[in-house]
PDB file of all heavy atoms in Angstrom:
ATOM      1  N   THR A  47     -19.196-146.800  57.724  1.00  0.00           N
ATOM      2  CA  THR A  47     -19.297-147.420  56.405  1.00  0.00           C
ATOM      3  C   THR A  47     -19.168-146.361  55.322  1.00  0.00           C
ATOM      4  O   THR A  47     -19.843-145.324  55.367  1.00  0.00           O
ATOM      5  CB  THR A  47     -20.631-148.172  56.251  1.00  0.00           C
ATOM      6  OG1 THR A  47     -20.812-149.028  57.381  1.00  0.00           O
ATOM      7  CG2 THR A  47     -20.627-149.021  54.991  1.00  0.00           C
ATOM      8  N   LEU A  48     -18.301-146.624  54.364  1.00  0.00           N
ATOM      9  CA  LEU A  48     -18.057-145.684  53.272  1.00  0.00           C
ATOM     10  C   LEU A  48     -18.151-146.434  51.952  1.00  0.00           C
ATOM     11  O   LEU A  48     -17.674-147.575  51.838  1.00  0.00           O
ATOM     12  CB  LEU A  48     -16.679-145.040  53.433  1.00  0.00           C
ATOM     13  CG  LEU A  48     -16.280-143.947  52.432  1.00  0.00           C
ATOM     14  CD1 LEU A  48     -15.391-142.915  53.114  1.00  0.00           C
ATOM     15  CD2 LEU A  48     -15.590-144.513  51.205  1.00  0.00           C
ATOM     16  N   TYR A  49     -18.787-145.806  50.984  1.00  0.00           N
ATOM     17  CA  TYR A  49     -19.002-146.413  49.678  1.00  0.00           C
ATOM     18  C   TYR A  49     -18.456-145.489  48.588  1.00  0.00           C
ATOM     19  O   TYR A  49     -18.606-144.269  48.662  1.00  0.00           O
ATOM     20  CB  TYR A  49     -20.491-146.603  49.399  1.00  0.00           C
ATOM     21  CG  TYR A  49     -21.303-147.232  50.513  1.00  0.00           C
ATOM     22  CD1 TYR A  49     -21.748-146.469  51.586  1.00  0.00           C
ATOM     23  CD2 TYR A  49     -21.662-148.583  50.470  1.00  0.00           C
ATOM     24  CE1 TYR A  49     -22.501-147.033  52.594  1.00  0.00           C
ATOM     25  CE2 TYR A  49     -22.429-149.145  51.474  1.00  0.00           C
ATOM     26  CZ  TYR A  49     -22.843-148.362  52.537  1.00  0.00           C
ATOM     27  OH  TYR A  49     -23.603-148.918  53.546  1.00  0.00           O
ATOM     28  N   TRP A  50     -17.921-146.092  47.542  1.00  0.00           N
ATOM     29  CA  TRP A  50     -17.620-145.385  46.305  1.00  0.00           C
ATOM     30  C   TRP A  50     -18.511-145.975  45.205  1.00  0.00           C
ATOM     31  O   TRP A  50     -18.546-147.198  45.019  1.00  0.00           O
ATOM     32  CB  TRP A  50     -16.158-145.552  45.893  1.00  0.00           C
ATOM     33  CG  TRP A  50     -15.190-144.700  46.646  1.00  0.00           C
ATOM     34  CD1 TRP A  50     -14.370-145.079  47.675  1.00  0.00           C
ATOM     35  CD2 TRP A  50     -14.906-143.316  46.409  1.00  0.00           C
ATOM     36  NE1 TRP A  50     -13.602-144.020  48.096  1.00  0.00           N
ATOM     37  CE2 TRP A  50     -13.906-142.922  47.337  1.00  0.00           C
ATOM     38  CE3 TRP A  50     -15.398-142.353  45.513  1.00  0.00           C
ATOM     39  CZ2 TRP A  50     -13.392-141.632  47.392  1.00  0.00           C
ATOM     40  CZ3 TRP A  50     -14.888-141.080  45.570  1.00  0.00           C
ATOM     41  CH2 TRP A  50     -13.894-140.723  46.503  1.00  0.00           C
ATOM     42  N   TYR A  51     -19.212-145.074  44.504  1.00  0.00           N
ATOM     43  CA  TYR A  51     -20.061-145.465  43.398  1.00  0.00           C
ATOM     44  C   TYR A  51     -19.585-144.773  42.119  1.00  0.00           C
ATOM     45  O   TYR A  51     -19.017-143.685  42.156  1.00  0.00           O
ATOM     46  CB  TYR A  51     -21.510-145.018  43.618  1.00  0.00           C
ATOM     47  CG  TYR A  51     -22.294-145.766  44.666  1.00  0.00           C
ATOM     48  CD1 TYR A  51     -22.253-145.380  45.995  1.00  0.00           C
ATOM     49  CD2 TYR A  51     -23.104-146.846  44.316  1.00  0.00           C
ATOM     50  CE1 TYR A  51     -23.000-146.051  46.958  1.00  0.00           C
ATOM     51  CE2 TYR A  51     -23.856-147.518  45.267  1.00  0.00           C
ATOM     52  CZ  TYR A  51     -23.801-147.108  46.585  1.00  0.00           C
ATOM     53  OH  TYR A  51     -24.543-147.771  47.529  1.00  0.00           O
ATOM     54  N   ARG A  52     -19.887-145.385  40.998  1.00  0.00           N
ATOM     55  CA  ARG A  52     -19.703-144.748  39.690  1.00  0.00           C
ATOM     56  C   ARG A  52     -21.075-144.590  39.066  1.00  0.00           C
ATOM     57  O   ARG A  52     -21.879-145.534  39.058  1.00  0.00           O
ATOM     58  CB  ARG A  52     -18.796-145.586  38.790  1.00  0.00           C
ATOM     59  CG  ARG A  52     -18.615-145.005  37.399  1.00  0.00           C
ATOM     60  CD  ARG A  52     -17.504-145.708  36.641  1.00  0.00           C
ATOM     61  NE  ARG A  52     -17.712-147.136  36.506  1.00  0.00           N
ATOM     62  CZ  ARG A  52     -16.807-147.967  35.998  1.00  0.00           C
ATOM     63  NH1 ARG A  52     -15.641-147.506  35.591  1.00  0.00           N
ATOM     64  NH2 ARG A  52     -17.074-149.245  35.904  1.00  0.00           N
ATOM     65  N   GLN A  53     -21.336-143.380  38.571  1.00  0.00           N
ATOM     66  CA  GLN A  53     -22.614-143.119  37.920  1.00  0.00           C
ATOM     67  C   GLN A  53     -22.359-142.599  36.513  1.00  0.00           C
ATOM     68  O   GLN A  53     -21.868-141.483  36.323  1.00  0.00           O
ATOM     69  CB  GLN A  53     -23.441-142.094  38.720  1.00  0.00           C
ATOM     70  CG  GLN A  53     -24.821-141.863  38.140  1.00  0.00           C
ATOM     71  CD  GLN A  53     -25.665-140.900  38.960  1.00  0.00           C
ATOM     72  OE1 GLN A  53     -25.153-140.075  39.710  1.00  0.00           O
ATOM     73  NE2 GLN A  53     -26.980-141.002  38.829  1.00  0.00           N
ATOM     74  N   ILE A  54     -22.688-143.422  35.548  1.00  0.00           N
ATOM     75  CA  ILE A  54     -22.584-143.035  34.148  1.00  0.00           C
ATOM     76  C   ILE A  54     -23.814-142.210  33.794  1.00  0.00           C
ATOM     77  O   ILE A  54     -24.911-142.475  34.298  1.00  0.00           O
ATOM     78  CB  ILE A  54     -22.470-144.282  33.258  1.00  0.00           C
ATOM     79  CG1 ILE A  54     -21.169-145.040  33.589  1.00  0.00           C
ATOM     80  CG2 ILE A  54     -22.511-143.928  31.781  1.00  0.00           C
ATOM     81  CD1 ILE A  54     -21.065-146.394  32.954  1.00  0.00           C
ATOM     82  N   LEU A  55     -23.649-141.227  32.939  1.00  0.00           N
ATOM     83  CA  LEU A  55     -24.743-140.334  32.575  1.00  0.00           C
ATOM     84  C   LEU A  55     -25.966-141.135  32.120  1.00  0.00           C
ATOM     85  O   LEU A  55     -25.868-142.003  31.260  1.00  0.00           O
ATOM     86  CB  LEU A  55     -24.278-139.390  31.475  1.00  0.00           C
ATOM     87  CG  LEU A  55     -25.175-138.168  31.205  1.00  0.00           C
ATOM     88  CD1 LEU A  55     -25.241-137.279  32.433  1.00  0.00           C
ATOM     89  CD2 LEU A  55     -24.657-137.399  29.998  1.00  0.00           C
ATOM     90  N   GLY A  56     -27.092-140.849  32.760  1.00  0.00           N
ATOM     91  CA  GLY A  56     -28.332-141.525  32.393  1.00  0.00           C
ATOM     92  C   GLY A  56     -28.534-142.874  33.068  1.00  0.00           C
ATOM     93  O   GLY A  56     -29.476-143.596  32.741  1.00  0.00           O
ATOM     94  N   GLN A  57     -27.672-143.193  34.014  1.00  0.00           N
ATOM     95  CA  GLN A  57     -27.766-144.469  34.723  1.00  0.00           C
ATOM     96  C   GLN A  57     -27.820-144.227  36.230  1.00  0.00           C
ATOM     97  O   GLN A  57     -27.513-143.138  36.719  1.00  0.00           O
ATOM     98  CB  GLN A  57     -26.547-145.341  34.417  1.00  0.00           C
ATOM     99  CG  GLN A  57     -26.288-145.600  32.944  1.00  0.00           C
ATOM    100  CD  GLN A  57     -27.117-146.727  32.400  1.00  0.00           C
ATOM    101  OE1 GLN A  57     -27.473-147.653  33.116  1.00  0.00           O
ATOM    102  NE2 GLN A  57     -27.455-146.655  31.120  1.00  0.00           N
ATOM    103  N   GLY A  58     -28.184-145.264  36.954  1.00  0.00           N
ATOM    104  CA  GLY A  58     -28.124-145.191  38.402  1.00  0.00           C
ATOM    105  C   GLY A  58     -26.713-145.473  38.901  1.00  0.00           C
ATOM    106  O   GLY A  58     -25.886-146.018  38.173  1.00  0.00           O
ATOM    107  N   PRO A  59     -26.429-145.090  40.141  1.00  0.00           N
ATOM    108  CA  PRO A  59     -25.098-145.374  40.701  1.00  0.00           C
ATOM    109  C   PRO A  59     -24.833-146.879  40.788  1.00  0.00           C
ATOM    110  O   PRO A  59     -25.743-147.656  41.084  1.00  0.00           O
ATOM    111  CB  PRO A  59     -25.180-144.758  42.103  1.00  0.00           C
ATOM    112  CG  PRO A  59     -26.311-143.785  42.046  1.00  0.00           C
ATOM    113  CD  PRO A  59     -27.283-144.354  41.079  1.00  0.00           C
ATOM    114  N   GLU A  60     -23.579-147.246  40.556  1.00  0.00           N
ATOM    115  CA  GLU A  60     -23.164-148.640  40.678  1.00  0.00           C
ATOM    116  C   GLU A  60     -21.999-148.705  41.667  1.00  0.00           C
ATOM    117  O   GLU A  60     -21.033-147.949  41.543  1.00  0.00           O
ATOM    118  CB  GLU A  60     -22.740-149.208  39.325  1.00  0.00           C
ATOM    119  CG  GLU A  60     -23.885-149.317  38.333  1.00  0.00           C
ATOM    120  CD  GLU A  60     -23.454-149.899  37.003  1.00  0.00           C
ATOM    121  OE1 GLU A  60     -22.282-149.730  36.633  1.00  0.00           O
ATOM    122  OE2 GLU A  60     -24.296-150.523  36.328  1.00  0.00           O
ATOM    123  N   LEU A  61     -22.113-149.603  42.629  1.00  0.00           N
ATOM    124  CA  LEU A  61     -21.103-149.709  43.669  1.00  0.00           C
ATOM    125  C   LEU A  61     -19.765-150.165  43.107  1.00  0.00           C
ATOM    126  O   LEU A  61     -19.691-151.128  42.349  1.00  0.00           O
ATOM    127  CB  LEU A  61     -21.551-150.696  44.740  1.00  0.00           C
ATOM    128  CG  LEU A  61     -20.602-150.851  45.933  1.00  0.00           C
ATOM    129  CD1 LEU A  61     -20.621-149.589  46.795  1.00  0.00           C
ATOM    130  CD2 LEU A  61     -20.954-152.077  46.750  1.00  0.00           C
ATOM    131  N   LEU A  62     -18.715-149.453  43.495  1.00  0.00           N
ATOM    132  CA  LEU A  62     -17.356-149.880  43.170  1.00  0.00           C
ATOM    133  C   LEU A  62     -16.717-150.596  44.355  1.00  0.00           C
ATOM    134  O   LEU A  62     -16.134-151.669  44.212  1.00  0.00           O
ATOM    135  CB  LEU A  62     -16.497-148.675  42.774  1.00  0.00           C
ATOM    136  CG  LEU A  62     -16.831-147.996  41.454  1.00  0.00           C
ATOM    137  CD1 LEU A  62     -16.012-146.716  41.296  1.00  0.00           C
ATOM    138  CD2 LEU A  62     -16.567-148.938  40.283  1.00  0.00           C
ATOM    139  N   VAL A  63     -16.808-149.965  45.543  1.00  0.00           N
ATOM    140  CA  VAL A  63     -16.159-150.526  46.719  1.00  0.00           C
ATOM    141  C   VAL A  63     -16.874-150.034  47.978  1.00  0.00           C
ATOM    142  O   VAL A  63     -17.397-148.926  48.003  1.00  0.00           O
ATOM    143  CB  VAL A  63     -14.660-150.159  46.749  1.00  0.00           C
ATOM    144  CG1 VAL A  63     -14.465-148.656  46.809  1.00  0.00           C
ATOM    145  CG2 VAL A  63     -13.923-150.842  47.888  1.00  0.00           C
ATOM    146  N   GLN A  64     -16.900-150.911  48.970  1.00  0.00           N
ATOM    147  CA  GLN A  64     -17.496-150.585  50.260  1.00  0.00           C
ATOM    148  C   GLN A  64     -16.492-150.858  51.362  1.00  0.00           C
ATOM    149  O   GLN A  64     -15.861-151.923  51.382  1.00  0.00           O
ATOM    150  CB  GLN A  64     -18.751-151.423  50.491  1.00  0.00           C
ATOM    151  CG  GLN A  64     -19.401-151.210  51.854  1.00  0.00           C
ATOM    152  CD  GLN A  64     -20.601-152.128  52.082  1.00  0.00           C
ATOM    153  OE1 GLN A  64     -21.128-152.707  51.145  1.00  0.00           O
ATOM    154  NE2 GLN A  64     -21.015-152.258  53.329  1.00  0.00           N
ATOM    155  N   PHE A  65     -16.324-149.898  52.269  1.00  0.00           N
ATOM    156  CA  PHE A  65     -15.450-150.045  53.427  1.00  0.00           C
ATOM    157  C   PHE A  65     -16.279-150.099  54.704  1.00  0.00           C
ATOM    158  O   PHE A  65     -17.280-149.400  54.847  1.00  0.00           O
ATOM    159  CB  PHE A  65     -14.508-148.839  53.564  1.00  0.00           C
ATOM    160  CG  PHE A  65     -13.433-148.746  52.532  1.00  0.00           C
ATOM    161  CD1 PHE A  65     -13.630-148.033  51.358  1.00  0.00           C
ATOM    162  CD2 PHE A  65     -12.197-149.348  52.743  1.00  0.00           C
ATOM    163  CE1 PHE A  65     -12.623-147.929  50.411  1.00  0.00           C
ATOM    164  CE2 PHE A  65     -11.183-149.246  51.806  1.00  0.00           C
ATOM    165  CZ  PHE A  65     -11.408-148.535  50.632  1.00  0.00           C
ATOM    166  N   GLN A  66     -15.826-150.918  55.627  1.00  0.00           N
ATOM    167  CA  GLN A  66     -16.304-150.870  56.996  1.00  0.00           C
ATOM    168  C   GLN A  66     -15.070-150.512  57.824  1.00  0.00           C
ATOM    169  O   GLN A  66     -14.133-151.307  57.912  1.00  0.00           O
ATOM    170  CB  GLN A  66     -16.896-152.204  57.443  1.00  0.00           C
ATOM    171  CG  GLN A  66     -17.489-152.189  58.838  1.00  0.00           C
ATOM    172  CD  GLN A  66     -18.807-151.451  58.921  1.00  0.00           C
ATOM    173  OE1 GLN A  66     -19.540-151.319  57.949  1.00  0.00           O
ATOM    174  NE2 GLN A  66     -19.122-150.956  60.103  1.00  0.00           N
ATOM    175  N   ASP A  67     -15.094-149.297  58.387  1.00  0.00           N
ATOM    176  CA  ASP A  67     -13.867-148.752  58.994  1.00  0.00           C
ATOM    177  C   ASP A  67     -12.770-148.762  57.933  1.00  0.00           C
ATOM    178  O   ASP A  67     -12.978-148.259  56.851  1.00  0.00           O
ATOM    179  CB  ASP A  67     -13.503-149.539  60.248  1.00  0.00           C
ATOM    180  CG  ASP A  67     -14.586-149.447  61.305  1.00  0.00           C
ATOM    181  OD1 ASP A  67     -14.990-148.326  61.633  1.00  0.00           O
ATOM    182  OD2 ASP A  67     -15.046-150.510  61.768  1.00  0.00           O
ATOM    183  N   GLU A  68     -11.614-149.354  58.215  1.00  0.00           N
ATOM    184  CA  GLU A  68     -10.537-149.327  57.215  1.00  0.00           C
ATOM    185  C   GLU A  68     -10.523-150.564  56.332  1.00  0.00           C
ATOM    186  O   GLU A  68      -9.686-150.672  55.424  1.00  0.00           O
ATOM    187  CB  GLU A  68      -9.186-149.166  57.924  1.00  0.00           C
ATOM    188  CG  GLU A  68      -8.769-150.353  58.777  1.00  0.00           C
ATOM    189  CD  GLU A  68      -9.360-150.313  60.170  1.00  0.00           C
ATOM    190  OE1 GLU A  68     -10.226-149.453  60.431  1.00  0.00           O
ATOM    191  OE2 GLU A  68      -8.962-151.142  60.999  1.00  0.00           O
ATOM    192  N   SER A  69     -11.449-151.479  56.554  1.00  0.00           N
ATOM    193  CA  SER A  69     -11.440-152.747  55.818  1.00  0.00           C
ATOM    194  C   SER A  69     -12.399-152.724  54.639  1.00  0.00           C
ATOM    195  O   SER A  69     -13.521-152.227  54.738  1.00  0.00           O
ATOM    196  CB  SER A  69     -11.832-153.891  56.758  1.00  0.00           C
ATOM    197  OG  SER A  69     -10.931-153.985  57.841  1.00  0.00           O
ATOM    198  N   VAL A  70     -11.945-153.335  53.535  1.00  0.00           N
ATOM    199  CA  VAL A  70     -12.804-153.497  52.369  1.00  0.00           C
ATOM    200  C   VAL A  70     -13.752-154.669  52.604  1.00  0.00           C
ATOM    201  O   VAL A  70     -13.315-155.771  52.935  1.00  0.00           O
ATOM    202  CB  VAL A  70     -11.965-153.766  51.107  1.00  0.00           C
ATOM    203  CG1 VAL A  70     -12.867-154.101  49.924  1.00  0.00           C
ATOM    204  CG2 VAL A  70     -11.088-152.568  50.788  1.00  0.00           C
ATOM    205  N   VAL A  71     -15.062-154.426  52.457  1.00  0.00           N
ATOM    206  CA  VAL A  71     -16.015-155.509  52.630  1.00  0.00           C
ATOM    207  C   VAL A  71     -16.600-155.966  51.308  1.00  0.00           C
ATOM    208  O   VAL A  71     -17.143-157.065  51.213  1.00  0.00           O
ATOM    209  CB  VAL A  71     -17.147-155.134  53.603  1.00  0.00           C
ATOM    210  CG1 VAL A  71     -16.591-154.881  54.989  1.00  0.00           C
ATOM    211  CG2 VAL A  71     -17.913-153.925  53.128  1.00  0.00           C
ATOM    212  N   ASP A  72     -16.508-155.128  50.266  1.00  0.00           N
ATOM    213  CA  ASP A  72     -17.001-155.507  48.945  1.00  0.00           C
ATOM    214  C   ASP A  72     -16.278-154.683  47.892  1.00  0.00           C
ATOM    215  O   ASP A  72     -16.440-153.473  47.843  1.00  0.00           O
ATOM    216  CB  ASP A  72     -18.517-155.294  48.840  1.00  0.00           C
ATOM    217  CG  ASP A  72     -19.097-155.802  47.517  1.00  0.00           C
ATOM    218  OD1 ASP A  72     -18.325-156.214  46.612  1.00  0.00           O
ATOM    219  OD2 ASP A  72     -20.335-155.795  47.375  1.00  0.00           O
ATOM    220  N   ASP A  73     -15.476-155.328  47.107  1.00  0.00           N
ATOM    221  CA  ASP A  73     -14.842-154.659  45.954  1.00  0.00           C
ATOM    222  C   ASP A  73     -14.992-155.514  44.715  1.00  0.00           C
ATOM    223  O   ASP A  73     -14.160-155.461  43.804  1.00  0.00           O
ATOM    224  CB  ASP A  73     -13.382-154.319  46.234  1.00  0.00           C
ATOM    225  CG  ASP A  73     -12.512-155.545  46.442  1.00  0.00           C
ATOM    226  OD1 ASP A  73     -13.051-156.677  46.469  1.00  0.00           O
ATOM    227  OD2 ASP A  73     -11.288-155.392  46.590  1.00  0.00           O
ATOM    228  N   SER A  74     -16.054-156.290  44.677  1.00  0.00           N
ATOM    229  CA  SER A  74     -16.264-157.231  43.579  1.00  0.00           C
ATOM    230  C   SER A  74     -16.459-156.549  42.227  1.00  0.00           C
ATOM    231  O   SER A  74     -16.200-157.139  41.186  1.00  0.00           O
ATOM    232  CB  SER A  74     -17.455-158.135  43.886  1.00  0.00           C
ATOM    233  OG  SER A  74     -18.627-157.366  44.096  1.00  0.00           O
ATOM    234  N   GLN A  75     -16.928-155.308  42.222  1.00  0.00           N
ATOM    235  CA  GLN A  75     -17.157-154.580  40.971  1.00  0.00           C
ATOM    236  C   GLN A  75     -16.062-153.553  40.682  1.00  0.00           C
ATOM    237  O   GLN A  75     -16.203-152.773  39.737  1.00  0.00           O
ATOM    238  CB  GLN A  75     -18.522-153.895  41.011  1.00  0.00           C
ATOM    239  CG  GLN A  75     -19.698-154.845  41.204  1.00  0.00           C
ATOM    240  CD  GLN A  75     -19.733-155.917  40.137  1.00  0.00           C
ATOM    241  OE1 GLN A  75     -19.664-155.629  38.944  1.00  0.00           O
ATOM    242  NE2 GLN A  75     -19.824-157.177  40.565  1.00  0.00           N
ATOM    243  N   LEU A  76     -15.013-153.563  41.442  1.00  0.00           N
ATOM    244  CA  LEU A  76     -13.911-152.616  41.237  1.00  0.00           C
ATOM    245  C   LEU A  76     -12.930-153.197  40.206  1.00  0.00           C
ATOM    246  O   LEU A  76     -12.396-154.292  40.418  1.00  0.00           O
ATOM    247  CB  LEU A  76     -13.190-152.362  42.556  1.00  0.00           C
ATOM    248  CG  LEU A  76     -12.131-151.261  42.566  1.00  0.00           C
ATOM    249  CD1 LEU A  76     -12.781-149.892  42.467  1.00  0.00           C
ATOM    250  CD2 LEU A  76     -11.273-151.350  43.828  1.00  0.00           C
ATOM    251  N   PRO A  77     -12.701-152.489  39.103  1.00  0.00           N
ATOM    252  CA  PRO A  77     -11.717-152.977  38.109  1.00  0.00           C
ATOM    253  C   PRO A  77     -10.302-152.865  38.682  1.00  0.00           C
ATOM    254  O   PRO A  77      -9.636-151.853  38.539  1.00  0.00           O
ATOM    255  CB  PRO A  77     -11.929-152.036  36.916  1.00  0.00           C
ATOM    256  CG  PRO A  77     -13.233-151.350  37.161  1.00  0.00           C
ATOM    257  CD  PRO A  77     -13.372-151.260  38.650  1.00  0.00           C
ATOM    258  N   LYS A  78      -9.858-153.903  39.292  1.00  0.00           N
ATOM    259  CA  LYS A  78      -8.643-153.832  40.104  1.00  0.00           C
ATOM    260  C   LYS A  78      -7.365-153.665  39.291  1.00  0.00           C
ATOM    261  O   LYS A  78      -6.312-153.358  39.850  1.00  0.00           O
ATOM    262  CB  LYS A  78      -8.555-155.067  41.004  1.00  0.00           C
ATOM    263  CG  LYS A  78      -9.725-155.188  41.977  1.00  0.00           C
ATOM    264  CD  LYS A  78      -9.587-156.410  42.848  1.00  0.00           C
ATOM    265  CE  LYS A  78     -10.821-156.641  43.686  1.00  0.00           C
ATOM    266  NZ  LYS A  78     -12.034-156.889  42.877  1.00  0.00           N
ATOM    267  N   ASP A  79      -7.453-153.861  37.972  1.00  0.00           N
ATOM    268  CA  ASP A  79      -6.249-153.652  37.168  1.00  0.00           C
ATOM    269  C   ASP A  79      -5.894-152.170  37.079  1.00  0.00           C
ATOM    270  O   ASP A  79      -4.732-151.816  36.867  1.00  0.00           O
ATOM    271  CB  ASP A  79      -6.430-154.243  35.772  1.00  0.00           C
ATOM    272  CG  ASP A  79      -7.641-153.666  35.045  1.00  0.00           C
ATOM    273  OD1 ASP A  79      -8.573-153.190  35.715  1.00  0.00           O
ATOM    274  OD2 ASP A  79      -7.638-153.685  33.796  1.00  0.00           O
ATOM    275  N   ARG A  80      -6.890-151.293  37.280  1.00  0.00           N
ATOM    276  CA  ARG A  80      -6.602-149.867  37.138  1.00  0.00           C
ATOM    277  C   ARG A  80      -7.135-149.024  38.296  1.00  0.00           C
ATOM    278  O   ARG A  80      -6.740-147.885  38.461  1.00  0.00           O
ATOM    279  CB  ARG A  80      -7.200-149.343  35.833  1.00  0.00           C
ATOM    280  CG  ARG A  80      -6.617-149.981  34.594  1.00  0.00           C
ATOM    281  CD  ARG A  80      -7.173-149.352  33.317  1.00  0.00           C
ATOM    282  NE  ARG A  80      -8.628-149.482  33.244  1.00  0.00           N
ATOM    283  CZ  ARG A  80      -9.465-148.469  33.416  1.00  0.00           C
ATOM    284  NH1 ARG A  80      -9.016-147.254  33.688  1.00  0.00           N
ATOM    285  NH2 ARG A  80     -10.772-148.676  33.315  1.00  0.00           N
ATOM    286  N   PHE A  81      -8.063-149.558  39.059  1.00  0.00           N
ATOM    287  CA  PHE A  81      -8.666-148.817  40.163  1.00  0.00           C
ATOM    288  C   PHE A  81      -8.120-149.332  41.499  1.00  0.00           C
ATOM    289  O   PHE A  81      -7.922-150.537  41.674  1.00  0.00           O
ATOM    290  CB  PHE A  81     -10.191-148.989  40.174  1.00  0.00           C
ATOM    291  CG  PHE A  81     -10.934-148.236  39.103  1.00  0.00           C
ATOM    292  CD1 PHE A  81     -10.747-148.536  37.761  1.00  0.00           C
ATOM    293  CD2 PHE A  81     -11.828-147.231  39.435  1.00  0.00           C
ATOM    294  CE1 PHE A  81     -11.452-147.853  36.777  1.00  0.00           C
ATOM    295  CE2 PHE A  81     -12.539-146.546  38.463  1.00  0.00           C
ATOM    296  CZ  PHE A  81     -12.348-146.860  37.134  1.00  0.00           C
TER     297      PHE A  81
END
Side-chain angles (χ1 to χ4, degrees):
Chain A
T47 310
L48 184 147
Y49 312 81
W50 282 102
Y51 288 87
R52 178 169 58 187
Q53 184 177 23
I54 296 170
L55 194 63
Q57 305 277 330
E60 294 181 332
L61 183 70
L62 291 173
V63 61
Q64 177 184 344
F65 289 92
Q66 184 74 25
D67 298 308
E68 67 275 9
S69 300
V70 173
V71 296
D72 185 354
D73 64 355
S74 58
Q75 301 304 309
L76 188 71
K78 299 181 188 62
D79 57 336
R80 297 184 301 107
F81 286 64

